[in-house]
Amino acid sequence: DANAQVMEILAENVVDPNGDLVGRNKIQSHNLLALYFSARWCPPCKLFTPVLKEAYTAVRQEYGAAEFEVIFVSYDRDGEDWKWYVGQMPWLSIPFHNEYAAAMLKVQYEVSAIPRLVVIDTRGRTIVSSARGGDLFGIGNDSLLAYKQIRNNVVDKDAKAKESTG
């Protein structure tokens, strides 16, 4: 299924800030994953990345590092821009040269504009299709309140899944 395919793509392609492959166990050790579609050349991305960085730090300080991980999926035009931009980020990424993995994620989540932040669980289910703006992650918003709302979506999805099977 599509969700399993997403998790397979992540398990085989995601690297840490040092460029080392992370692997399935590390990816699946987090409760929630946020796929961050962005690029160095994009002005709204330049504004949102520091906001997301603050939220990332706050959430992980409050709930622990296993709670939440961000994975950068690049829309950069060349490897040098990707390398510079990923150097500004404390989280994981899909390497620039891995165009197939990035393209599959862009299609799966119907990304047509950036920046875009898609929150998924470790089964690949979409929890929030756009977690940027509104009362979620954004300039002037409380990142911990935003994250609590996202976590509530997980509880709602799990309850609905039990209702439909039970």
Side-chain angles (χ1 to χ4, degrees):
D1 87 325
N3 294 343
Q5 187 178 14
V6 164
M7 295 314 296
E8 197 62 34
I9 287 169
L10 296 178
E12 293 174 1
N13 296 288
V14 171
V15 296
D16 66 18
N18 297 321
D20 298 323
L21 192 63
V22 173
R24 180 182 317 280
N25 291 342
K26 172 92 172 173
I27 300 251
Q28 293 187 324
S29 71
H30 298 91
N31 289 331
L32 293 176
L33 303 167
L35 303 177
Y36 181 40
F37 299 89
S38 182
R40 179 181 181 185
W41 55 262
C42 164
C45 299
K46 288 179 186 177
L47 293 173
F48 184 66
T49 298
V51 172
L52 181 57
K53 205 169 167 179
E54 284 180 26
Y56 175 81
T57 302
V59 168
R60 290 168 63 98
Q61 283 177 344
E62 179 74 15
Y63 295 101
E67 178 67 26
F68 180 64
E69 185 58 77
V70 173
I71 300 168
F72 171 56
V73 184
S74 178
Y75 268 79
D76 283 307
R77 296 180 177 127
D78 62 59
E80 286 304 307
D81 276 350
W82 172 83
K83 190 175 184 178
W84 182 90
Y85 199 38
V86 84
Q88 311 303 305
M89 301 173 180
W91 46 72
L92 308 176
S93 67
I94 300 281
F96 179 79
H97 65 270
N98 199 327
E99 295 169 22
Y100 174 78
M104 291 296 292
L105 294 170
K106 291 169 187 176
V107 168
Q108 172 67 27
Y109 295 104
E110 300 174 350
V111 179
S112 59
I114 56 174
R116 174 96 176 272
L117 188 66
V118 178
V119 179
I120 63 173
D121 67 13
T122 55
R123 289 179 278 179
R125 294 183 311 170
T126 301
I127 303 303
V128 178
S129 63
S130 183
R132 174 186 161 255
D135 52 1
L136 297 177
F137 294 124
I139 296 169
N141 291 357
D142 181 321
S143 54
L144 292 177
L145 280 177
Y147 192 73
K148 283 178 185 167
Q149 277 192 255
I150 293 167
R151 287 179 85 202
N152 288 342
N153 281 359
V154 177
V155 173
D156 291 346
K157 277 199 186 311
D158 287 344
K160 286 178 182 145
K162 281 183 183 170
E163 285 173 14
S164 67
T165 60

